Amino acid sequence: MLNEATALEGGFSDPVLNAQSVFRAVMDAMAKPATVVEVDAVVTPPAPLGRAAGAVACALIDADTPFWLDASLAEHAALRAWLAFHTGAREMATCSDVAFALVGAPATMPPLDRFAQGTQEYPDRSATLILQVPSLEGGAPLTFEGPGIRDRVVLAPRGLPRDLAFQWKANRKRFPRGVDLILTTGDAIACLPRSVRLVEMEG
Amino acid sequence: MNAQASNYNFAYLDEQTKRMIRRAILKAIAVPGYQVPFASREMPMPYGWGTGGVQVTASILGPDDVLKVIDQGADDTTNAVSIRKFFQRVAGVETTTSTEEATIIQTRHRIPEAPLQEGQVLVYQVPIPEPLRFLEPRETETRKMHALEEYGLMHVKLYEDIARNGHIATTYAYPVKVEGRYVMDPSPTPKFDNPKMHMSPALQLFGAGREKRIYAVPPHTEVVSLDFEDHPFEVQRFDKPCALCGAEQVYLDEVVLDDRGGRMFVCSDTHHCESRQAAGHRGEMSGEALS
Amino acid sequence: MYVAVKGGEAAIDNAHRLLADRRRGDRSVPALTLDQITEQLSIGVDRVMSEGSLYDRRLAALAIKQARGDLIEAIFLVRAYRTTLPRFGHSEPVDTGAMLVERRVSACYKDLPGGQLLGPTFDYTHRLLDEELEGDPLVETGALRGGDQEPVMRVADILGQEGLIEDDGFIDPAAEPGDINQTPTEFPMSRAMRLQSLSRGDEGFLLALGYSTQRGYARSHPFVGEVRIGEVDVEVFMPELGFAVPVGRVQVTECQMVNQFKGSAKAPPQFTRGYGLVFGQSERKAMAMSLCDRALRAEELGEDLVAAPQDQEFVLSHCDNVQATGFVEHLKLPHYVDFQAELGLVRTMRSEYEQRTGEAVLETREAAE
């Protein structure tokens, strides 16, 4: 139902401590990439925005960070009103110049290089992409190595772009420029900071 | 003063500031060793007293955390006491002197002797985050050097040391290279502590308040002290073990005992020393040894 | 047996108690009231407002009292307080042309519309200590110019009519002004952001830098076009109403420095401007600021960069006294871990040196034998 109440409800019940707990989960996940971390996702955003994605958005996005929604999310007015109310952030029509992007259908999302990559001198001026995936398990296994990972780690999310491996290698090649991904599903997240490398597996 | 605390938000900073710092922390983790600019706030303690570290700690701290604060390796130095008290007052968190029990350790100038563990966060207070600053005072220039990965100047400086002294004459804030990309200042820790940064299971966050920079080393990340093949990096060695707990291969403070040249050397890490003494280890000047 | 020094917490508490005691001083002397400070130490209060970046005389007075008269400490107290306040937005540019001036002097013209108005200035006082002020002598009410107060035209506009001075610049109404509190420092910095930094910069630092430009370090041939002190309206644009509404009045000191300029590849010969604006009555600061502002425009005007006052990074990275005092004073915090490292190094180098010179002496002796 599209009414004011939907927009006002379902945010952090305790904005200070909820934001802290969600942020810590994201920090934890960013520090140990490609590892599934549970989020105490205390928000109930309007569908089809998931709880974890909604919680991460509420914890990180604000008036200083314009955001973009992919078509699968942007078509839901209630969801947009909810994000506007709970984050106070401006929604932008194009994806190329935003600090955050929320993607409901990663399989058909724009290529990673369409988002802000930062500059060689200021690589932090890049986009963080919050992708909502059907599951963080059961997809094609991807093996990663790099900072935050002891030896190697395998993550098998479903619903990512088919050419993700190719795109991720290009993203890594742009280092220190590049985007960082926060994959979300249900109450769980896994992060892929630009620093991690996809390992070519034999066979 | 206590009555004031209730007027302030949990962990002192307002939520907008915390979000800004949190975003900077995530970027810092994603680009290990790169100094992320952030809009540092004035804190109720002076610049130079650890405002960067305090802002980082305030932004990550939650009610379930257990906080340890050390300065010079010690939990009982005045500034460590003061910062610990600040967080007790504004966040009501549990504090500890135990390295093992802490979830967040804020430090100035040391890394604890006990190995850190997965899930722990070490927050460094940083005065001058730019390792190239003393070679090139201009931010616009050093930023370019990092962008181009142009670190020749740093190697020249270290090599000049060798030419003059026969060895590298940098003993603290010894520059490191993170994951083969960014040259980073480890903060003014003695170079003795540099190897502890390498592949540490803990997350290391660095906050420079006055200079408005945050940077990070994720867990299990390569941190290599700059050196030369013919002059490999070496850490300080002490001739004697700790006079109180007998520990070897730890960093020691020199304590002046009298005006006749009397000296003793004791652990700089007070918790490490106390735990060892509690476990029955004795040095040559501990009570038991003397009696 | 050696026992390490403990009890940091008790030491800190005791230090704070002693500090409070010393701040209060002799209890038989009446305590200062904030009114006494705002009324009788008003220029100190204005400096704290200006460099503390907070227009609140009562809080500035409180800070001065708490800081035992240490103005930099008071500025720090005010800054640490203001940073906890929510940011509602920004005001419209204040119109200093509409100011009802209490003081207004120009060094460029003998007489001019609105006249020279000395106002409450120390300029022509003879600096003789007035022993009478030990008591509370009767003070006459200040004499003000008769007639209705009206805004007076700016000296820069007189030059502007002839096209002899550069434009005042154009503000894009749609542009958001920068905010040095909200953005990390980045160089080169826009003039608007530079002026914000200078306005809260340390009076002594800017004074010395400005002075150095007069002595030839980036000389800028300055004339005081005008110094004016008075109150101006502060207006905030209300989107709901569609127009700006006044939210209060502040006293400011403005200095427009007029600088002769021979022209360069980038700009024609004309007078150029250096600008200073600070809270309250802070004339020395406003003038020093306008000298520094002009020097920092060197690159924009195509001048050679020859001296520190023209160097953005040098001036702006070091003009904040809260930062400067923190970093200088932090040297008194314990550094014994690093000092230990240096001790070890110096001992090693000494013994290497002694070994080398010892060997040299030996060699000389052997050679002699």
Side-chain angles (χ1 to χ4, degrees), chain C residues 203-220 222 287-293 295 309:
Chain C
E203 179 175 311
F205 180 74
L206 298 187
L207 178 67
L209 278 181
Y211 174 47
S212 77
T213 68
Q214 292 179 279
R215 291 195 64 260
Y217 291 84
R219 192 159 173 229
S220 64
M287 292 177 69
M289 174 176 170
S290 63
L291 290 173
C292 290
D293 170 49

Side-chain angles (χ1 to χ4, degrees), chain B residues 41 138-139 171 188 251 254, chain C residues 181 311 313 338 342 347:
Chain B
R41 300 289 189 248
R138 269 161 218 288
E139 164 71 14
T171 58
Y251 198 81
E254 183 168 337
Chain C
N181 301 296
D311 185 330
E313 283 205 35
D338 293 341
E342 295 290 81
R347 281 178 183 143

Side-chain angles (χ1 to χ4, degrees), chain A residues 1-182:
Chain A
M1 220 171 62
L2 207 182
N3 58 28
E4 287 235 328
T6 348
L8 301 181
E9 285 165 8
F12 286 146
S13 56
D14 182 339
V16 174
L17 297 185
N18 291 161
Q20 188 276 336
S21 131
V22 172
F23 164 73
R24 271 296 275 280
V26 178
M27 183 178 90
D28 195 22
M30 201 61 91
K32 45 179 188 187
T35 304
V36 178
V37 171
E38 293 294 316
V39 180
D40 194 4
V42 282
V43 298
T44 44
L49 190 64
R51 281 196 309 273
V56 170
C58 287
L60 296 178
I61 302 179
D62 64 23
D64 292 335
T65 52
F67 71 97
W68 173 83
L69 299 177
D70 79 337
S72 77
L73 298 177
E75 65 183 5
H76 299 277
L79 182 162
R80 298 169 70 180
W82 188 86
L83 280 171
F85 179 77
H86 291 284
T87 67
R90 275 171 301 149
E91 184 189 335
M92 309 298 266
T94 53
C95 71
S96 57
D97 207 21
V98 291
F100 288 93
L102 282 149
V103 178
T108 56
M109 70 184 284
L112 299 183
D113 62 9
R114 289 271 305 280
F115 296 88
Q117 307 287 311
T119 64
Q120 199 68 17
E121 295 186 345
Y122 292 95
D124 54 302
R125 295 178 183 175
S126 57
T128 302
L129 316 185
I130 303 168
L131 310 187
Q132 207 165 294
V133 296
S135 168
L136 288 167
E137 294 163 4
L142 300 165
T143 305
F144 292 96
E145 62 180 22
I149 301 169
R150 182 161 52 187
D151 309 321
R152 285 175 177 182
V153 65
V154 179
L155 185 70
R158 289 187 9 227
L160 290 180
R162 289 184 59 184
D163 64 343
L164 182 91
F166 173 78
Q167 284 202 54
W168 190 256
K169 276 177 200 160
N171 191 59
R172 183 65 184 79
K173 219 168 179 180
R174 286 190 286 273
F175 190 88
R177 300 165 67 236
V179 296
D180 308 310
L181 309 186
I182 303 176

Side-chain angles (χ1 to χ4, degrees), chain B residues 12 39 41-42 45 47 72 76-78 85 108 138-140 167 171 188 210 212 236 251 254 274, chain C residues 6 12-13 76 79 83-84 181 311 313 323 326-327 334-338 340-342 347 352:
Chain B
Y12 182 76
R41 300 289 189 248
E42 277 102 353
M45 60 213 40
Y47 289 113
Q72 313 297 301
D76 55 2
T77 30
T78 39
K85 206 169 168 184
R108 180 168 169 263
R138 269 161 218 288
E139 164 71 14
T140 38
H167 46 76
T171 58
R210 194 178 34 77
K212 303 180 170 58
Q236 289 99 339
Y251 198 81
E254 183 168 337
E274 282 158 15
Chain C
K6 293 270 178 196
I12 291 174
D13 289 343
F76 179 22
R79 286 263 200 101
T83 198
T84 65
N181 301 296
D311 185 330
E313 283 205 35
Q323 291 177 0
F327 202 45
H335 283 79
Y336 50 74
V337 163
D338 293 341
Q340 186 63 48
E342 295 290 81
R347 281 178 183 143
E352 285 166 358

Side-chain angles (χ1 to χ4, degrees), chain B residues 18 28 31-32 34 39 48 54 65 82 87 99 108 113 120 129 137 159 165 178 186 201 222 232 237 243 276:
Chain B
K18 282 187 200 164
V31 190
Y34 164 72
V54 168
D65 277 307
S82 164
F87 282 112
T99 301
R108 180 168 169 263
E113 302 291 0
Q120 286 185 312
Y159 211 85
N165 308 307
V178 181
E222 206 179 88
R237 286 183 202 295
R276 281 181 52 86

